[in-house]
Amino acid sequence: MTPGGRAAAAIDILDQIGATRGPADRLANDYFRSRRYIGSKDRAAVATIVYGCLRHRSQLEWWLARARDGNARDLFSPNGRSWTIAYLAIIGQLSRAALINMFSGQSYDPPPLSRGELAAVEALAGRSIEHPDQPEFVRANVPAWIMPRLAARFGEGLRRELVAMAEEAPLDMRVNLLKGERKAAREALAKAGIETVPGKLSPWALRAKTRAALMATEPYKSGLVEVQDEGSQLVAALLGAKPGMRVCDFCAGAGGKTLAIAATMANKGHIAACDVSNKRLAGATTRLKRAGAFNVERIALEDERDPWVKRHKTSFDRVLVDAPCTGTGTWRRNPDARWTLREPEIAELCAKQARILESAARLVKPGGRLVYATCSVLAEENEAQTEAFLAANPDFVSLPIPTLWAEILGTPCPTEDAVLKLDPARDGTDGFFVAAFAKAGA
């Protein structure tokens, strides 16, 4: 592809993301899958532009508005083309001549720059993406409406965490204990050309020193390692599932945490992996087979109050509710998600989370445990949910995370609080929340 062809592809993908609110990774993958002539280097170059625009969208739009208020009166509205031009001029540091050549209108190149776009390029070329006049939400590249919530969550660490949430997430792997130990996995990855370091918190975690094509390697193909953020691994670990138990992963999705739970159980016992999406559950089939996890039953539910729940009331030793949420803790991994989230959706999600948690609690046997987790950093989805649950369910009590950590992991716990809150800057993981409850009786 020519540089212009790469820019045109990025514009197409960005416009699809804006029009459909679909996940950027899926839309980009679909785009490349339908154009197999695009080579790996070109795909990487296009992805760099796409994700660069998504990570810096507020700042790019701020500069575009500044150019419009100056001498670019007929400047375009913010869209894939305008973001790409601003990205290439500011972050790519391309000259006016280089951009004119890229936007030639010939072959696969984008149409030529308009008069307003040329004026914008003149105004933006050579600028730094940062500017002291930018409001905090612009520098953070988040919607203005969510800033008070983030400030309440992070306090004095707000700026540091926002910077971390704008960075690219590292490649974390979970060593599959059904296939081998961490030392052996690290050696196998090194032979495949991937150097790793052990995770700081999860006993199963390995982190690649650089980005790598993991899925093409034998350690991945054989099921020895699975891609999973270190924070997500800790959610599964703190469930405390043991061989021979009956365990329910109530919102299993494609099975990431189910796989980790199966490894802690050494394939002994029974795991019910539930979800309302048949498609997501079907996607877990290949992963389960590759991992060698054979104690998992996949169960499709109509909703959180499916009759299956009533039939299996008080029959599980452990129940995990990895609740659907805003995903604000995964923004470094999914930068497009911050722009598709709408404020009214938070209340809708919170209502759904409460219903799911209440229904899933019925599955816990006396003396059993319930773990509630989100990949959100918002209090409404986290502390508020757990407090409301405890108030409405006197047969459950809080299990402090430090107590669980000592019992299950036996390493220094990163918190003294009753709940676990993981943050990108402080902990090097995605943002996660974990609370645990014990049910009275034995």
Side-chain angles (χ1 to χ4, degrees):
M1 296 177 76
T2 64
R6 292 173 172 178
I11 291 168
D12 286 346
I13 295 171
L14 287 166
D15 282 340
Q16 287 183 35
I17 294 169
T20 66
R21 295 183 64 195
D25 56 350
R26 178 176 61 78
L27 291 172
N29 288 337
D30 289 347
Y31 183 91
F32 293 131
R33 192 176 295 113
S34 65
R35 298 165 176 81
R36 295 191 179 278
Y37 57 85
I38 301 179
S40 58
K41 290 185 178 179
D42 289 320
R43 288 198 300 269
V46 172
T48 296
I49 298 173
V50 169
Y51 283 95
C53 288
L54 293 172
R55 293 184 190 282
H56 296 281
R57 176 173 153 177
S58 279
Q59 289 176 301
L60 294 175
E61 290 184 354
W62 186 87
W63 277 113
L64 288 167
R66 192 179 179 94
R68 183 178 61 244
D69 292 339
N71 59 358
R73 293 294 180 181
D74 64 336
L75 191 63
F76 39 82
S77 300
N79 53 31
R81 181 177 170 95
S82 64
W83 296 328
T84 299
I85 292 171
Y87 174 87
L88 294 171
I90 300 173
I91 298 176
Q93 291 289 292
L94 296 186
S95 67
R96 180 178 186 274
L99 282 166
I100 290 174
N101 287 335
M102 287 180 70
F103 288 74
S104 70
Q106 299 177 4
S107 186
Y108 294 103
D109 292 357
L113 299 173
S114 68
R115 182 181 302 175
E117 291 169 341
L118 284 170
V121 168
E122 292 283 359
L124 301 177
R127 298 284 191 178
S128 168
I129 194 67
E130 300 279 350
H131 192 283
D133 289 346
Q134 291 172 349
E136 181 69 16
F137 79 91
V138 170
R139 292 199 301 274
N141 287 287
V142 300
W145 61 262
I146 206 168
M147 278 299 289
R149 289 177 166 91
L150 296 177
R153 169 65 175 79
F154 295 123
E156 294 181 357
L158 175 64
R159 179 60 179 164
R160 182 184 64 174
E161 292 296 342
L162 289 174
V163 169
M165 291 170 77
E167 295 172 349
E168 185 177 1
L171 173 58
D172 283 357
M173 291 158 275
R174 177 183 53 78
V175 177
N176 179 11
L177 300 182
L178 297 175
K179 298 278 187 169
E181 300 295 330
R182 184 158 65 173
K183 183 175 184 291
R186 194 177 181 193
E187 291 171 354
L189 287 164
K191 288 181 181 179
I194 300 177
E195 296 295 328
T196 61
V197 295
K200 296 179 180 179
L201 297 171
S202 167
W204 317 317
L206 288 174
R207 176 165 293 178
K209 291 183 178 180
T210 58
R211 302 301 297 180
L214 176 66
M215 294 183 184
T217 68
E218 184 59 28
Y220 178 82
K221 292 179 180 178
S222 68
L224 179 58
V225 295
E226 181 79 20
V227 176
Q228 188 174 28
D229 182 81
E230 188 174 9
S232 180
Q233 296 176 37
L234 291 170
V235 173
L238 291 170
L239 186 63
K242 298 177 182 178
M245 285 185 171
R246 285 179 53 79
V247 176
C248 179
D249 185 355
F250 198 65
C251 305
K257 295 179 181 67
T258 303
L259 291 171
I261 295 166
T264 68
M265 297 172 67
N267 259 340
K268 298 174 183 178
H270 177 258
I271 302 173
C274 304
D275 204 88
V276 295
S277 170
N278 277 311
K279 184 177 181 180
R280 285 197 294 266
L281 285 173
T285 304
T286 302
R287 299 177 75 187
L288 290 166
K289 184 177 180 180
R290 185 177 65 242
F294 304 121
N295 63 333
V296 179
E297 177 187 10
R298 288 169 292 123
I299 299 165
L301 305 177
E302 288 294 327
D303 55 35
E304 69 276 359
R305 298 193 65 84
D306 189 283
W308 181 90
V309 179
K310 184 177 181 179
R311 292 197 302 270
H312 293 81
K313 184 178 179 180
T314 67
S315 60
F316 289 93
D317 300 283
R318 300 286 187 270
V319 175
L320 172 62
V321 175
D322 180 23
C325 66
T326 58
T328 46
T330 68
W331 279 355
R332 61 181 191 160
R333 199 174 303 280
N334 305 299
D336 53 305
R338 68 190 69 196
W339 308 118
T340 57
L341 179 64
R342 302 289 185 266
E343 187 170 14
E345 294 173 6
I346 296 178
E348 297 171 8
L349 278 167
C350 287
K352 177 186 284 189
Q353 291 158 1
R355 293 194 304 269
I356 290 172
L357 186 55
E358 188 69 30
S359 186
R362 295 184 292 162
L363 297 169
V364 184
K365 67 192 307 184
R369 295 178 183 177
L370 171 67
V371 169
Y372 174 79
T374 73
C375 53
S376 170
V377 297
L378 303 184
E380 298 103 306
E381 301 181 272
N382 299 333
E383 293 93 335
Q385 289 287 16
T386 58
E387 291 167 6
F389 173 77
L390 286 171
N393 295 273
D395 53 336
F396 281 88
V397 296
S398 173
L399 270 177
I401 291 297
T403 301
L404 280 182
W405 196 285
E407 171 193 318
I408 298 167
L409 297 172
T411 56
C413 183
T415 184
E416 296 179 356
D417 297 336
V419 298
L420 178 65
K421 292 184 284 189
L422 297 172
D423 299 332
R426 186 190 63 203
D427 303 301
T429 69
D430 284 351
F432 276 97
F433 175 87
V434 187
F437 314 99
K439 188 174 183 179

